[in-house]
Structure formats: structure tokens, C-alpha cells
Amino acid sequence: MLLTLTGHSFRYECENLCRLFFPYSPVRVEEQPELPSQPEAFPVGEPWALTQAVQEPGGQWVCKVRAWDGTCRLEGQAAGPELTEYLMTDLLYSVLSRLTGAEPAWGMLTGVHPVKLLRQHTERLGLEAGLADFQEKWHVSPPRAQLAARVLAAQKEAVEALCPGDFCLYVGIPFCPTRCAYCSFISQDMANAAKLVEPYLDHLHIEIERVARITQRLAMRLVSVYIGGGTPTTLSPGQLSALCGKITGLFDLSACKEFTVEAGRPDTITWEKLLALKEAGVSRVSINPQTMRDQVLRNIGRNHTAQEVEEAFALAHKAGFRDINADLIVGLPGDDPPGFAHSLDRVLGLDPANVTVHSLALKRSSALVTEEGDLTAHRRSSAAAAMMDASIQRLTAQGFVPYYLYRQTRMAGNLENTGWAKPGSVCRYNIYTMDESGTVIACGAGGVTKLKDPWSDSLERVFNFKYPFEYISRHGEILERKDGMGATLRKLLKKP
């Protein structure tokens, strides 16, 4: 797709809106001094959107959009006293929506954190007026606005419980037994990365020690621990025990509400590993089938069966775990609404405390895009929407509450990922990191530390290197960044 900008610099949001309506079409952006006036001068070989901002002699700004989707052309314009990003993007959204006939569930929102945005509306206007303003301004559908409001209500207790100096610790294990076909995360196939595991863990322990020293000096309070991946249970029982023991030995966990480990794929879960986690003080695990249909599991490159998921749940319950999360994905290749309903029913029969429903997000680095092509992925969008809507109804009926929600680019149906919990079983780490309401300190490859100013909405990010080899070879720089993080935290924790 071609996006042309004339007279304005709102490239980022305009480009994201084009992806909203043409999610699997690469967007080429051109800046032109002025747009062609004749229709025959417009490009015709691909969809396009021409955007223009002009200031009239009296000072009024006029935004114009012309667009073509491959079959017909449409245009529109809007005027205002000032040239703003919203004036242009609202017009572009309107034209593309009319052109394609699509009305995205989340309207013109392209960001990751819609609930965080809703909170800002309600804090400014009150709950009822803020919700109405959120829905109208961003063209959010009533069902999704209500879903966001339910999440906001479910987060209230956890967000209000945060004190200055509270933080979560995230530890990343970027290794998996094999790479799933839909995956674009920073994870390494163990067949190729096994030799990196021990040196990686050695360096990870050193980074965790540095974080412990910094947070203790600042008298910070650890409220949640989350070991994610990748697949942390790719590690051996001894490696898991040493890692968890490092954390429990260095940090004061007296205020820690939860200690989560993503057990992830059932083909990595053993009785010995679950015992090691339980003995180390882990209180919550995640067992992620993604689907309970064997053929769909094979389609996405998973080397386990639905029966093995059930066996992993039984082992976890036997080991004493009661707080167990299960992930499912809507929109997987070969799945359909009846099949997804079967998966959800089968997972609910395993008595999970949490169920997280993801929309398939096909990044261009995932194998599915390469193998299937964009059009096949695009055709799954309507089916994904039906699956997601059914999951909302089913989980609500079962007494689950939606408590965190986030979005990604190129999601099937432009939908969302939602975490559902039984009352009293919310995962606070998920709330704090997705709501960006508290400080999260990340260790390991690909980790993103989020330093939240407790006195304002300001947030500062500190990035670790993405890949295990780079994380190991440049570890001195990681530690320098952690020291810089400590200096930033010292300033943030001083009350104005």
C-alpha cells in the first residue's frame, strides 16, 4: 500500500491506520510537496491513501484524504482552527472505514494499552462520561468499550495497592524446545542454542544480583516475580531450582503477592521440574496449550498433544499448584469457531484459575506469514472475531473476570489479548506491566525495564539486548544500564 503525506508530518499514526485496514500489505510512505489534482494521475497498481493538510488564508486548517482500495475511490475533508494529529487521523479513519466497509472493534485505536487510555478519560471526566468520550472519540464499538471498562474495574484494587518504591521483577528465559510457527518472540530453538544455556544463566544470575543490590539500597519493595520466556521449563530441574533460589535468597519476598513461572509447553513439564518450582516457593504456573485440537497443534509446529496438556495439568495439581493459567489463541490455521469452543470447554474442565485468550498476531518474522502468505492469514480474521466474542460470553458465564488486556500489531481481526481470572486470582504482574501503572525491572535477553514515576504518568524504559549471544558477549553494558537505572530510580523515588 502507498501512503502519501503532504503538508503534515503525522506519519506514524497514519501508517498504523493504513495497516489497520490493510494489515498484511506493506505500507510504503512518500512525502510529496503537493498531491496530483487529476484522478488519472493517482497510482492504480495497489491500494493507496493520499493525505494533505492546507492552511487557508484566514488561518483555518483543512485536511483532505483521497483513497483507493483496488476497486473504487473515495475522498473526504475536515477543517479545524489548528492542525492536529487527531484532525488528520480521524478523517483518514473515516475515509478508509467507508471505503472498505470495515468497522474495527477498537475503532481507530492502534496502541497496545487501550485500558490505560480509558483510565485517563475516566480520571478526567468520571466513569460514565469518560467511557462515553472514550467510545465516541476513538470510534470504539460498545462491546469493546464495555470490555475495557470491566478490565478497568477489575484492576482497581491492585493498582490502588501500589506504593512508591514497589516493583515487579521479570526474568526472561529465551529458550524453547522448538519454535512455534506463529512465534516472533525472542526465543532460541534448543537444538541450536543448547550450548548457550549455561553461560546465559551465569550472566543472568549476575544481573539479578545487581538488581537486588540496587533495590535494597533504595529500600524498594518486591510485590511480584514473573519468570517468562521463551519456555522457562526448557531448563533442567537443577537449573530451575538454582534460578528460583537465587531470587528467593537475594530478595525480601514478605510483600510478594505471587511468584509465577511460565511452564508453557506441556512437552517440557515433568514431575521433577514441578517439584523444584514448588519447593523454591513458586505459587503460580502457566501451562499453555494454545489449542486442544491435535491437528491444529501440528499446524503450528507443536510437538505435543491435547492429552499431554491434560496430563501436565494433573501433574501440576498433584504437585500442589492451584493457581494455574492456560493460554489459548484464536485464529490459528486450521481452527474454526466450533473447534475453538471445544478447546475452551476442554481447558475449563481442567479447572484453571486464569485463562488468557490471545488473538493470533502474525508478525512478518513468523513462519506462518512466510509459508501461507498474507491472504490466507487475512481470511481468518472474521473467524477469529467470532471465536473471541464466544470466549467473552463463555468465560463470563463461568464466573471469570477480565482483568488485563493489551493489543499487538497485525492481530487477527484487529482484536485483543485478554486475561481472565476467577475472583481473587488475578496476576498482579500482568496488570502492572500491561497497565504500566508500576515499575517492572526486567533481567535477561529481550527484557524491557519500565521505570514508573510514582508521582506522575511518566514512564522511562531501559532495554536489554535481545539475543542470548549478544546478552552474554555485551553483559558489561547490561550492568552499566542497570546502574543507570538505579540512578534514575533514586531520582524518581524522591517525593516532589
Side-chain angles (χ1 to χ4, degrees):
M1 179 178 188
L2 175 64
L3 169 65
T4 301
L5 313 177
T6 299
H8 69 93
S9 59
F10 306 130
R11 170 174 178 158
Y12 179 78
E13 282 302 327
C14 287
E15 188 174 350
N16 281 338
L17 280 176
C18 289
R19 289 199 183 97
L20 189 63
F21 292 94
F22 302 94
Y24 305 108
S25 176
V27 180
R28 298 184 298 110
V29 182
E30 294 182 356
E31 296 187 23
Q32 296 183 3
E34 55 183 63
L35 296 180
S37 58
Q38 299 300 319
E40 57 268 20
F42 298 164
V44 294
E46 60 183 329
W48 47 258
L50 310 177
T51 61
Q52 182 182 30
V54 179
Q55 188 172 28
E56 296 184 333
Q60 182 92 333
W61 281 94
V62 177
C63 292
K64 301 178 182 180
V65 170
R66 302 168 188 171
W68 184 70
D69 68 350
T71 58
C72 62
R73 295 185 177 92
L74 195 65
E75 62 182 65
Q77 71 176 44
E82 297 180 9
L83 176 60
T84 64
E85 181 182 274
Y86 181 79
L87 184 67
M88 175 59 76
T89 54
D90 185 54
L91 173 62
L92 178 60
Y93 173 86
S94 175
V95 170
L96 292 179
S97 180
R98 288 187 288 125
L99 181 71
T100 61
E103 296 182 359
W106 288 98
M108 62 187 289
L109 293 182
T110 60
V112 175
H113 308 290
V115 177
K116 180 180 178 181
L117 181 61
L118 175 59
R119 175 177 280 108
Q120 294 169 358
H121 280 259
T122 59
E123 288 177 348
R124 187 175 72 253
L125 301 172
L127 179 58
E128 186 174 342
L131 180 60
D133 189 58
F134 171 81
Q135 182 176 320
E136 180 180 357
K137 180 174 182 179
W138 306 110
H139 308 284
V140 178
S141 70
R144 286 311 186 268
Q146 288 298 325
L147 178 63
R150 292 176 66 189
V151 173
L152 188 64
Q155 292 180 350
K156 188 174 187 296
E157 179 182 353
V159 172
E160 291 182 349
L162 278 173
C163 297
D166 286 357
F167 76 102
C168 300
L169 177 68
Y170 175 84
V171 177
I173 305 298
F175 303 105
C176 286
T178 60
R179 190 173 179 86
C180 297
Y182 57 79
C183 183
S184 63
F185 290 110
I186 306 304
S187 62
Q188 301 288 304
D189 189 321
M190 281 295 287
N192 301 312
K195 64 182 180 182
L196 293 176
V197 174
E198 281 295 344
Y200 177 83
L201 291 174
D202 290 342
H203 287 80
L204 180 62
H205 287 187
I206 293 170
E207 186 184 9
I208 292 170
E209 291 169 1
R210 184 65 59 93
V211 169
R213 187 156 63 244
I214 291 169
T215 54
Q216 287 165 7
R217 286 175 181 171
L218 296 174
M220 297 180 69
R221 187 175 71 158
L222 180 60
V223 296
S224 177
V225 178
Y226 195 103
I227 301 179
T231 307
T233 43
T234 302
L235 303 181
S236 69
Q239 289 167 334
L240 288 169
S241 181
L243 176 60
C244 294
K246 173 67 68 173
I247 294 169
T248 57
L250 289 173
F251 293 91
D252 178 3
L253 272 65
S254 60
C256 188
K257 301 294 184 182
E258 66 209 5
F259 190 148
T260 299
V261 173
E262 284 188 0
R265 291 173 48 155
D267 48 337
T268 67
I269 297 172
T270 66
W271 176 247
E272 291 76 17
K273 292 179 184 180
L274 289 170
L275 283 184
L277 295 177
K278 192 66 179 177
E279 291 171 0
V282 173
S283 61
R284 181 179 183 272
V285 294
S286 188
I287 301 172
N288 302 330
Q290 317 304 11
T291 175
M292 295 294 281
R293 302 179 69 188
D294 288 344
Q295 182 57 56
V296 179
L297 285 168
R298 288 191 290 271
N299 292 347
I300 61 176
R302 287 246 176 168
N303 297 327
H304 65 82
T305 64
Q307 178 64 34
E308 288 177 272
V309 174
E310 295 179 341
E311 292 169 358
F313 259 87
L315 276 180
H317 283 304
K318 184 178 178 181
F321 288 102
R322 295 294 173 263
D323 198 351
I324 306 175
N325 171 74
D327 282 6
L328 291 171
I329 300 178
V330 305
L332 290 172
D335 207 359
D336 54 26
F340 179 79
H342 166 78
S343 291
L344 181 55
D345 285 343
R346 199 164 167 184
V347 163
L348 289 174
L350 301 176
D351 193 27
N354 296 164
V355 176
T356 307
V357 182
H358 296 266
S359 296
L360 180 65
L362 284 184
K363 304 297 179 65
R364 305 204 73 84
S365 59
S366 67
L368 278 181
V369 167
T370 303
E371 294 172 0
E372 291 192 339
D374 293 343
L375 292 178
T376 304
H378 185 67
R379 284 196 293 269
R380 285 200 298 273
S381 295
S382 60
M387 296 178 202
M388 185 63 76
D389 290 345
S391 75
I392 294 172
Q393 296 176 11
R394 182 80 172 90
L395 288 163
T396 299
Q398 287 293 115
F400 285 79
V401 176
Y403 75 98
Y404 83 100
L405 183 154
Y406 69 102
R407 303 179 66 248
Q408 296 168 269
T409 58
R410 297 190 179 93
M411 298 185 83
N414 188 40
L415 296 168
E416 68 280 334
N417 302 324
T418 306
W420 297 78
K422 290 181 178 178
S425 298
V426 303
C427 174
R428 295 193 175 212
Y429 166 81
N430 286 330
I431 293 175
Y432 298 148
T433 191
M434 292 304 169
D435 182 73
E436 296 186 330
S437 51
T439 287
V440 177
I441 300 177
C443 296
V448 180
T449 292
K450 299 179 181 180
L451 305 178
K452 175 67 169 61
D453 181 353
W455 322 109
S456 74
D457 288 333
S458 176
L459 190 80
E460 183 173 330
R461 291 174 173 81
V462 182
F463 297 87
N464 279 6
F465 297 116
K466 287 185 177 182
Y467 301 103
F469 177 78
E470 191 178 21
Y471 175 83
I472 294 166
S473 63
R474 303 178 66 181
H475 200 256
E477 295 175 59
I478 295 284
L479 298 182
E480 289 176 3
R481 293 180 187 182
K482 282 295 182 286
D483 290 339
M485 175 201 76
T488 300
L489 284 169
R490 191 173 297 108
K491 295 177 182 177
L492 291 177
L493 294 176
K494 291 182 178 178
K495 189 170 183 178

